[in-house]
């Protein structure tokens, strides 16, 4: 690896640290729910708002991220985002009330736009032969952040429970442990702020704003001399030798023009398919899924295994993405993802649910209330929906609500190993393919002059479905449609994505952004 390549790798690594903080942020909060509920006497709706706050913040920020990215530059916008992460972590750790905790979480959500801006910046500074590897660093850092957050929460909770003298001295006890969980994010966020001052401005953004001399200076640090000259020439040609930033209206007109048809189709369709495969739901409710199927291992232990597998396959993706190519990896990942969801759905389709005296005892049902279950005692039900409806219709709403949380866990008889294998396989496929490929394609298929608006627009779609719709409706789907149907839907989305991408997605491996632009334009006009 020559010096320019090392420079590009170094800058990409710094920017991709935002993915690590994102992973920390979305997972650290999962360990705080019990403590914040007790601290602020939260209702279920308030607890849901704290969990969903970053999602709403991200939607707000994405409406403006493209404008700020073009107006003030990728680097400066990323610095502001890193500061928002820091403010959010401080505000969360020292929140005096539910309201302030929600606001602090909302501010953190504004910083979630780091994912789309990192994709823009890394795509613009990475050499064509390294672009896939460098952009996928974002996904690697996300899964590392998630795994580290799981370990941090586990360590902090156990330390608070054991209460050694040193922990008591710093108020690391069961009353304040949730504040440590959220406050630990201050450290990496502050470090990221400092490191971002060391990266250069994007040469594509500099050219977009008529600063060719400065762009050439930056390009010389990340390309060999001949490559630097040629890429500056290609960027200038792509921009049609304009020396100004197109307005949002002009960018929108370009995005929806006929030459951009295929690029827009790829971007929007992948922005929909990726979240609708259900990964965010499985991440947010992973312990609950494992609880439903039972098994000897604890849900926490199973989650640790899944996250470790996720890291290993993300690393594997980084090693192979620029060798195997985007198209091959994406189509392969969607195929494996569909098979994995079919395995999970098959296990749930073949599940049997039976209420026995033993299961009633496990659910904590009193002897007097147990009599009300007599009409359905020892009756086999073949779906989670069927047993819920039977219990509700037999014992009434009040008693049903008291046992609903443990009903499926206590009565289910299924192949839990099959479910675990299916979920692990899907996580492998997602972290190797579906997850990182999205951001790589975003960084490649959109021309420089519309990239900020196009990528943040597609990221907005992904955030709506991945950050709000899918995790919000997952519990509703389980209750009203059943696990088998729910996972079948996720598998179907993999199949739909496979068919669609097989028909429109070209191979972009090893091509410059300008070469990809010309190829997609030709395909759109043909």
């Amino acid at each position: 690896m020559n010096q320019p390549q090392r420079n590009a790798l170094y800058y990409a690594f710094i920017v991709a640290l935002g993915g690590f903080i994102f992973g920390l942020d979305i997972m650290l909060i999962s360990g705080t729910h019990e403590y914040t509920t007790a601290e602020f006497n939260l209702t279920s709706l308030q607890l849901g708002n704290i969990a969903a706050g970053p999602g709403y913040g991200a939607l707000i920020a994405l409406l403006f991220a493209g404008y700020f990215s073009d107006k003030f530059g990728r680097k400066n916008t990323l610095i502001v985002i890193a500061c928002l992460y820091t403010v959010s972590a401080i505000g969360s750790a020292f929140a005096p009330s539910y309201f302030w905790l929600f606001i602090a979480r909302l501010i953190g959500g504004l910083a979630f736009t780091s994912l789309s801006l990192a994709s823009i910046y890394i795509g613009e500074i990475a050499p064509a032969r390294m672009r896939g590897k460098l952009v996928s660093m974002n996904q690697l850092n996300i899964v590392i952040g998630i795994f580290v957050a799981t370990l941090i929460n586990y360590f902090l909770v156990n330390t608070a429970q054991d209460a050694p003298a040193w922990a008591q001295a710093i108020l690391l006890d069961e009353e304040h442990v949730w504040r440590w969980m959220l406050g630990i994010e201050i450290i990496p966020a502050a470090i990221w702020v400092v490191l971002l001052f060391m990266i250069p401005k994007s040469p594509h953004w500099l050219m977009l704003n008529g600063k060719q001399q400065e762009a050439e200076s930056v390009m010389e640090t990340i390309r060999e001399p001949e490559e630097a000259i040629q890429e500056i020439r290609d960027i200038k040609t792509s921009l049609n030798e304009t020396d100004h930033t197109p307005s949002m209206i002009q960018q929108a007109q370009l995005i929806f023009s006929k030459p951009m048809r295929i690029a827009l189709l790829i971007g929007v369709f992948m922005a929909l398919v990726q979240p609708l495969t259900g990964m965010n739901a499985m991440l947010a409710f992973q312990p609950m899924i494992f609880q439903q199927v039972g098994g000897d291992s604890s849900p926490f232990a199973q989650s640790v295994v899944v996250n470790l597998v996720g890291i290993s396959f993300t690393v594997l993706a980084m090693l192979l993405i620029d060798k195997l190519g985007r198209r091959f990896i994406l189509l392969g990942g969607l195929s494996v993802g569909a098979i994995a969801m079919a395995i999970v759905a098959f296990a749930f389709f073949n599940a049997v649910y039976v209420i026995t005296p033993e299961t009633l005892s496990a659910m904590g049902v009193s002897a007097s209330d147990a009599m009300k279950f007599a009409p359905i005692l020892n009756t086999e039900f073949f779906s989670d929906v069927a047993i819920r409806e039977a219990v509700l219709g037999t014992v009434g709403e009040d008693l049903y609500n008291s046992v609903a949380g443990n009903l499926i866990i206590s009565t289910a008889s299924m192949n839990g190993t099959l479910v675990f294998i299916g979920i692990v396989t899907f996580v492998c496929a997602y972290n190797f393919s579906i997850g990182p490929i999205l951001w790589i394609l975003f960084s490649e298929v959109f021309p420089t002059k519309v990239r900020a608006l196009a990528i943040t627009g597609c990221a907005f779609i992904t955030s709506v479905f991945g950050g709000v719709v899918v995790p919000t409706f997952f519990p509703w789907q389980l209750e009203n449609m059943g696990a088998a149907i729910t996972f079948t839907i996720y598998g179907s989305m993999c199949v739909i994505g496979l068919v669609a991408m097989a028909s429109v997605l070209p191979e972009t491996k090893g091509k410059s952004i300008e070469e990809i632009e010309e190829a997609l334009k030709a395909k759109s006009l043909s």
Side-chain angles (χ1 to χ4, degrees):
M1 184 181 293
N2 56 40
Q3 188 59 47
Q5 290 175 334
R6 283 195 291 270
N7 290 339
L9 175 62
Y10 175 65
Y11 301 144
F13 172 76
I14 290 176
V15 172
L17 285 176
F20 175 80
I21 302 172
F22 172 83
L24 276 180
D25 195 274
I26 64 174
M27 203 66 186
L28 285 172
I29 193 68
S30 67
T32 69
H33 297 320
E34 176 184 351
Y35 303 100
T36 54
T37 299
E39 176 91 7
F40 302 127
N41 193 27
L42 300 180
T43 66
S44 58
L45 180 60
Q46 289 173 328
L47 188 61
N49 283 338
I50 289 174
Y56 293 109
L59 296 183
I60 295 171
L62 283 168
L63 295 174
F64 307 99
Y67 169 79
F68 284 109
S69 176
D70 276 347
K71 180 70 175 178
F72 302 107
R74 290 46 160 150
K75 174 181 176 177
N76 292 334
T77 306
L78 282 167
I79 291 173
V80 171
I81 284 172
C83 291
L84 288 174
Y85 268 131
T86 309
V87 170
S88 172
I90 294 172
S92 297
F94 294 97
S97 66
Y98 154 73
F99 174 76
W100 286 108
L101 180 57
F102 173 76
I103 294 300
R105 297 288 296 157
L106 184 70
I107 292 172
L110 298 176
F112 281 10
T113 52
S114 63
L115 299 182
S116 60
L117 291 181
S119 177
I120 295 172
Y121 181 89
I122 297 174
E124 291 177 345
I125 61 102
R129 57 185 172 275
M130 297 175 62
R131 190 187 310 114
K133 185 180 300 181
L134 297 189
V135 174
S136 63
M137 286 175 63
N138 220 26
Q139 181 69 24
L140 174 64
N141 278 336
I142 291 173
V143 297
I144 291 176
I146 290 171
F147 179 68
V148 169
T150 302
L151 296 181
I152 288 173
N153 283 349
Y154 180 72
F155 169 77
L156 290 176
V157 168
N158 279 276
T159 302
Q161 290 174 347
D162 294 341
W166 68 266
Q168 295 180 51
I170 61 173
L171 295 180
L172 179 49
D173 51 38
E174 293 198 70
E175 180 182 354
H176 300 95
V177 64
W178 70 269
R179 296 185 183 275
W180 281 93
M181 290 178 185
L182 299 181
I184 202 74
E185 189 180 319
I186 298 171
I187 298 172
I191 293 174
W192 195 38
V193 173
V194 175
L195 290 177
L196 283 172
F197 281 97
M198 301 180 184
I199 68 172
K201 295 177 180 178
S202 161
H204 286 68
W205 178 81
L206 291 169
M207 288 292 291
L208 193 65
N209 287 270
K211 301 179 180 181
Q212 182 170 336
Q213 186 173 355
E214 191 174 349
E216 291 173 348
S217 177
V218 173
M219 191 67 78
E220 288 171 0
T221 68
I222 56 177
R223 299 288 189 277
E224 291 292 329
E226 297 80 8
E227 292 179 328
I229 295 171
Q230 182 60 47
E231 190 153 343
I232 289 293
R233 186 181 298 123
D234 290 343
I235 296 172
K236 194 171 183 179
T237 300
S238 174
L239 294 173
N240 294 320
E241 300 185 353
T242 56
D243 59 357
H244 66 280
T245 302
S247 68
M248 290 294 107
I249 294 177
Q250 289 173 321
Q251 288 191 47
Q253 290 173 337
L254 288 170
I255 289 172
F256 289 100
S257 64
K258 190 174 181 180
M260 285 286 295
R261 184 178 59 187
I262 298 297
L264 183 62
L265 177 62
I266 293 171
V268 171
F269 206 86
M270 279 304 300
L272 287 168
V273 167
Q274 192 222 45
L276 290 177
T277 57
M279 180 61 174
N280 285 0
M282 280 180 280
L283 182 64
F285 299 100
Q286 197 173 95
M288 185 179 76
I289 296 171
F290 290 143
Q291 282 178 340
Q292 289 195 22
V293 301
D296 295 330
S297 299
S298 71
F300 176 80
Q302 290 174 314
S303 296
V304 170
V305 172
V306 169
N307 288 329
L308 277 174
V309 171
I311 292 175
S312 63
F313 271 78
T314 304
V315 172
L316 188 62
M318 289 183 61
L319 296 175
L320 298 178
I321 194 75
D322 287 315
K323 296 179 180 178
L324 299 180
R326 287 63 154 147
R327 177 182 168 87
F328 176 80
I329 288 180
L330 177 59
L331 298 185
L334 288 169
S335 300
V336 174
I339 294 171
M341 288 295 94
I343 292 173
V344 177
F346 176 80
F348 278 106
F349 269 120
N350 287 275
V352 177
Y353 304 85
V354 182
I355 297 177
T356 65
E358 290 76 21
T359 59
L360 290 177
S361 176
M363 289 186 284
V365 178
S366 65
S368 58
D369 284 337
M371 298 291 293
K372 299 177 182 179
F373 288 85
I376 56 175
L377 204 63
N378 296 316
T379 301
E380 292 187 346
F381 298 93
F382 298 97
S383 77
D384 43 355
V385 174
I387 193 170
R388 288 192 186 100
E389 291 177 346
V391 172
L392 179 61
T394 302
V395 305
E397 186 173 354
D398 290 341
L399 184 52
Y400 169 79
N401 289 336
S402 70
V403 302
N406 294 317
L407 178 63
I408 303 302
I409 300 172
S410 302
T411 63
S413 175
M414 69 174 72
N415 191 333
T417 301
L418 205 58
V419 174
F420 181 75
I421 291 173
I423 290 177
V424 170
T425 302
F426 177 80
V427 169
C428 293
Y430 186 92
N431 286 335
F432 182 75
S433 169
I434 306 168
I437 287 290
L438 175 76
W439 301 105
I440 294 170
L441 291 178
F442 281 178
S443 73
E444 292 181 332
V445 301
F446 295 115
T448 300
K449 54 193 171 188
V450 300
R451 183 171 297 131
L453 180 61
I455 292 180
T456 54
C458 290
F460 181 85
I461 296 172
T462 300
S463 297
V464 168
F465 286 92
V468 178
V469 175
V470 170
T472 298
F473 283 97
F474 181 71
W476 180 91
Q477 286 178 291
L478 289 182
E479 184 174 346
N480 293 275
M481 303 168 64
I485 297 297
T486 299
F487 286 103
T488 298
I489 291 172
Y490 293 153
S492 299
M493 290 308 304
C494 291
V495 173
I496 292 172
L498 174 64
V499 173
M501 289 299 100
S503 63
V504 300
L505 181 65
E507 182 52 68
T508 59
K509 177 186 69 173
K511 298 179 181 177
S512 70
I513 292 173
E514 288 68 37
E515 289 172 335
I516 296 170
E517 176 187 356
E518 289 301 315
L520 292 176
K521 182 189 297 184
K523 191 169 184 178
S524 297
L525 296 174
S526 62

